[in-house]
Amino acid sequence: MSCLLLCWTLLGHAGAASFGIETRLLGRPLTAQQQATVREAADRVGALITSPYAPVRVEIAANDCDQGLPKVQGTLKKLLVFVVVKRLGDDVYATGMPCDLRDGSYLPVYGVIDLNADGLSELAREDLLDTMIHELLHVLGVGTLWEAEYRVSISGDTDERSFVRRVGGALYYTGPHALAAYRTLGGQKPGVPLDPDAGHWSGRAVCAEILSGAAGDFTGRVNPVSVLTLGALEDLGYRVNRAGASSFKLPQGSCAAQIKKDASVNPPGAPMRVPQGGFATCAAARAAGASLPIRRGQPGYRVGLDGDGDGLACETGR
Ligand SMILES: [Zn+2]
């Protein structure tokens, strides 16, 4: 083989840009450090994906996907993610979703993340980074494009594929790549156990992973992006950098046991400070290191954080 061709091929690979994500901030201003954290999250998530974002011409009207979004015209060369900093409900921390899916691949053209302005200033860098990575994964479709009803392309085409299966009363993720990863971790359930919202790994059965639901959410660190989440990206149609997965083990027994074994988590330190009358917001509760949800009677519980009045505050954290 001529060097010309070989070298070109090698260069082609070496030069292959990772998936580009461009965040655009709207709403309340973030500090320089918070802005840097948002960019770091976008870079980290982009580096997990090795397939390119295919440039696409768009003409998006203002408020098309979410109230307050500007109009966008031109060619997008990166996944555009609006990050809107505003007051959300008391027990909502942040939300992320894709907007407009491509025809054929059903991959998102752009997306939006709403970040709760309340409590943001008390949030540790690690927690903002963890939240932003989590929400960016939602924008990419992880947890948001798992069911056929959401898989509708910009032209209105529908996709039959669904990655969620109900067995008995429980929900499982059954996309092939993440399911294979779950098996390699020793998981034996019919699929990767999901929270009842069908958009997060089960907080109780998977525990602390970047895409685990509220009960598996642990503060003070960036939760691991495991082979489960990389598998979920592959199931959606992205090529991924498997070497980018963080080491991860399914819990043997309780979540607490899993966390204890992981030395990087919540180093024992200062006792939690609980404001009188309970935490102002769930973000503040997380920032203080409270384990969520907070039960009625536990320090920090406040009726205002318990939207459905079931005695559990901050149970739908993100
Ligand atoms: Zn989420």
Side-chain angles (χ1 to χ4, degrees):
M1 189 186 290
S2 78
C3 176
L4 189 63
L5 180 60
L6 180 65
C7 297
W8 182 85
T9 309
L10 288 172
L11 275 174
H13 279 288
S18 62
F19 189 86
I21 298 176
E22 180 194 336
T23 51
R24 214 173 284 178
L25 298 170
L26 297 168
R28 285 205 207 164
L30 295 180
T31 65
Q33 201 207 24
Q34 288 167 335
Q35 291 180 32
T37 305
V38 168
R39 277 196 303 274
E40 182 181 344
D43 290 346
R44 282 211 200 184
V45 173
L48 298 172
I49 300 173
T50 56
S51 47
Y53 175 88
V56 57
R57 253 202 86 69
V58 295
E59 214 162 301
I60 302 163
N63 307 312
D64 184 55
C65 185
D66 199 8
Q67 275 299 316
L69 296 191
K71 85 174 186 191
V72 183
Q73 262 178 325
T75 302
L76 298 182
K77 293 178 178 162
K78 294 179 175 184
L79 179 71
L80 174 63
V81 181
F82 291 105
V83 179
V84 187
V85 185
K86 61 181 178 188
R87 290 194 73 160
L88 303 175
D90 255 352
D91 59 353
V92 181
Y93 194 45
T95 62
M97 64 174 179
C99 305
D100 288 354
L101 307 185
R102 293 167 190 262
D103 292 322
S105 70
Y106 296 92
L107 293 180
V109 171
Y110 74 109
V112 61
I113 291 173
D114 284 345
L115 199 53
N116 199 347
D118 288 340
L120 204 53
S121 60
E122 302 148 53
L123 210 56
R125 196 193 81 90
E126 286 72 21
D127 291 325
L128 179 58
L129 189 56
D130 179 274
T131 299
M132 284 303 303
I133 293 173
H134 177 101
E135 302 304 340
L136 284 164
L137 287 164
H138 281 330
V139 170
L140 288 166
V142 183
T144 48
L145 299 177
W146 282 353
E147 292 175 279
E149 61 183 297
Y150 302 115
R151 301 178 62 79
V152 181
S153 81
I154 196 159
S155 303
D157 296 341
T158 53
D159 186 8
E160 299 295 291
R161 286 183 302 162
S162 180
F163 303 136
V164 178
R165 215 176 114 202
R166 183 178 290 276
V167 182
L171 291 170
Y172 297 98
Y173 178 93
T174 54
H177 290 93
L179 183 55
Y182 175 67
R183 297 281 179 247
T184 64
L185 293 171
Q188 314 218 323
K189 298 274 168 57
V192 187
L194 295 178
D195 267 358
D197 66 8
H200 298 93
W201 308 134
S202 160
R204 288 200 169 79
V206 175
C207 299
E209 207 268 359
I210 193 74
L211 206 79
S212 288
D217 177 30
F218 295 90
T219 53
R221 67 159 185 174
V222 178
N223 286 295
V225 180
S226 77
V227 287
L228 296 176
T229 291
L230 283 182
L233 283 168
E234 282 189 278
D235 288 331
L236 288 166
Y238 300 99
R239 285 199 304 275
V240 301
N241 171 21
R242 290 191 176 203
S246 307
S247 73
F248 179 77
K249 289 195 173 102
L250 290 170
Q252 308 280 323
S254 71
C255 288
Q258 178 201 38
I259 294 304
K260 234 179 184 168
K261 278 188 196 151
D262 187 341
S264 68
V265 184
N266 288 349
M272 183 172 69
R273 287 194 6 227
V274 180
Q276 268 203 333
F279 290 109
T281 63
C282 293
R286 277 168 211 274
S291 87
L292 305 184
I294 307 170
R295 288 174 193 284
R296 189 183 286 130
Q298 280 184 341
Y301 176 90
R302 192 167 68 76
V303 174
L305 301 179
D306 182 4
D308 55 2
D310 65 350
L312 295 172
C314 306
E315 58 194 316
T316 54
R318 57 186 192 174

